[in-house]
Amino acid sequence: MKLSKSIAFASLSALALTACGSSGGGAARDSIHAVGSSTVYPFAKAVSETFARSNPDFKSPLIESTGTGGGMKLFCAGVGADTPDIADASRRMKPSEFADCQANGVTDIMEIQVGLDGIAFASTKGGITMNLTPAIVYKALAAKPYGKEQTAKTWHDVDPSLPDTPILVYGPPTTSGTRDALKELILEKGCTADPAMEALKESNKDQFDQTCTEIRSDGAYVDQGEQDNLIVQKIESNPKAIGVFGYSYLEENSDKLQDLPMNGVPATYDNISSFKYPGARPLYIYVKKAHLDAIPGLKEFVNEWTTQWAKDGPLAKIGLVAAPDDVLAKSEATIANGTTLTADDLK
């Protein structure tokens, strides 16, 4: 019965896609729709604008900043004109999201790494300065650092070398890929500095995740939604506050903000490109292969990324860090050959 329903769903989805390419019918859509990461958003918008200028016969794409998690949910809801063609992501697709896609008939997904980014920690020019480490950030932001009650009110409480200033960090929400990367690249590393936490990871994964990645909710960390520019505004107006966002926003506002190094390494283009910076991470777009022939301009839009993501390309000028040459070559091959993602790829 379940298989029959899946086949029926796939058939209906195919009919909806046929309508996408036609001139009539309520199910038709004649413009590209992308959802997802607020970090990838400015790059996707830039590609969209160039695409629109170069292809006047196609409608301008609709690019929405929903957060990586929210975008994946929309993307994996099914195929057809009422679902997005692309999910922008500031982390890799999770195996659970891939499984949801498959269950809903989204069986052919192209994974394209478009570049690199870094999770930047910043304050306003002339504001609070600190040399951070993953352990410092973890002890300051964890709900229960190392399983104990969170008692730190100031940065000085976390480490005597830091300012006696109340902890106030503006950052991304739980739906954001930046939040996921913050947990994986910074909080977990700070947590496992304690050997007991490393042992807990082996013995009780759920308890480990809760202990090492759950962020305090007492006002020291402020979830600022999917608008990274709003985080910039908040810290710009408060010299005692710290913001967490993608490197591109730090680069874009370098006249207003100052970087807070991590392990003594500043968030710079070269340090992210070499992965010397601890918060470096890849950025992706996920494309429904079934939509490529049905949505006018989708193939051309995806190809437009390849003309802009090089180190000396237009996207680098607005903060995208170019991926290594072999990664870009693989992404170009994925686009050219229509290579699709498998569950094994995500292991």
Side-chain angles (χ1 to χ4, degrees):
M1 177 65 80
K2 187 173 182 181
L3 179 61
S4 298
K5 287 183 178 179
S6 297
I7 293 171
F9 178 86
S11 300
L12 288 171
S13 298
L15 288 173
L17 275 174
T18 301
C20 289
S22 67
S23 59
R29 173 159 57 81
D30 58 1
S31 63
I32 298 156
H33 186 194
V35 295
S37 167
S38 63
T39 300
V40 180
Y41 176 80
F43 308 128
K45 282 292 288 182
V47 174
S48 171
E49 289 162 5
T50 304
F51 166 82
R53 289 193 298 269
S54 304
N55 299 275
D57 292 338
F58 296 125
K59 288 191 174 181
S60 295
L62 171 62
I63 313 294
E64 292 187 276
S65 175
T66 63
T68 297
M72 287 293 184
K73 188 172 291 187
L74 293 166
F75 179 81
C76 289
V79 294
D82 57 345
T83 66
D85 312 306
I86 296 173
D88 301 326
S90 56
R91 57 158 172 80
R92 201 173 195 196
M93 177 180 277
K94 297 177 181 179
S96 59
E97 292 167 335
F98 182 81
D100 287 342
C101 269
Q102 299 295 302
N104 291 329
V106 187
T107 55
D108 293 319
I109 304 165
M110 296 164 60
E111 179 186 69
I112 302 162
Q113 186 178 330
V114 297
L116 303 172
D117 182 48
I119 306 167
F121 295 77
S123 61
T124 189
K125 285 277 178 75
I128 188 171
T129 59
M130 289 185 285
N131 204 340
L132 298 172
T133 66
I136 286 172
V137 174
Y138 171 71
K139 286 186 280 188
L141 298 185
K144 291 187 176 181
Y146 307 120
K148 301 173 184 176
E149 183 183 356
Q150 175 60 271
T151 59
K153 302 297 183 184
T154 70
W155 290 103
H156 186 76
D157 292 337
V158 175
D159 188 301
S161 68
L162 301 180
D164 192 16
T165 304
I167 299 167
L168 178 58
V169 177
Y170 291 96
T174 55
T175 54
S176 170
T178 301
R179 176 76 161 257
D180 290 332
L182 171 64
K183 291 178 178 181
E184 181 181 345
L185 299 176
I186 305 299
L187 296 181
E188 279 195 24
K189 283 194 171 81
C191 182
T192 53
D194 182 339
M197 295 299 102
E198 189 68 61
L200 181 64
K201 186 176 184 178
E202 297 298 322
S203 62
N204 191 328
K205 186 65 165 59
D206 289 341
Q207 188 180 344
F208 170 83
D209 288 341
Q210 185 177 26
T211 303
C212 290
T213 66
E214 185 178 343
I215 292 178
R216 63 195 298 178
S217 58
D218 58 358
Y221 180 93
V222 182
D223 174 337
Q224 207 54 66
E226 295 291 352
Q227 300 301 319
D228 289 8
N229 279 321
L230 187 55
I231 298 177
V232 172
Q233 293 170 22
K234 288 288 187 179
I235 64 172
E236 190 183 356
S237 63
N238 186 346
K240 296 181 179 180
I242 290 175
V244 182
F245 36 64
Y247 162 76
S248 63
Y249 289 87
L250 174 62
E251 174 74 8
E252 182 184 356
N253 296 280
S254 58
D255 58 327
K256 307 171 188 175
L257 306 180
Q258 59 189 6
D259 172 55
L260 303 181
M262 180 68 61
N263 286 347
V265 180
T268 64
Y269 186 101
D270 289 341
N271 287 338
I272 293 168
S273 179
S274 66
F275 283 89
K276 183 179 179 183
Y277 180 68
R281 56 174 174 169
L283 302 178
Y284 301 89
I285 63 172
Y286 291 88
V287 182
K288 288 176 184 170
K289 188 174 180 180
H291 284 205
L292 284 176
D293 290 323
I295 304 299
L298 182 57
K299 281 184 177 178
E300 291 80 359
F301 177 74
V302 173
N303 273 293
E304 189 69 46
W305 278 93
T306 69
T307 70
Q308 299 194 47
W309 62 27
K311 186 173 183 179
D312 57 353
L315 295 180
K317 295 175 182 175
I318 59 171
L320 182 73
V321 177
D325 290 344
D326 61 328
V327 172
L328 292 182
K330 182 180 178 182
S331 293
E332 289 174 0
T334 294
I335 294 170
N337 301 325
T339 308
T340 55
L341 191 64
T342 69
D344 286 343
D345 292 331
L346 297 174
K347 289 181 179 177

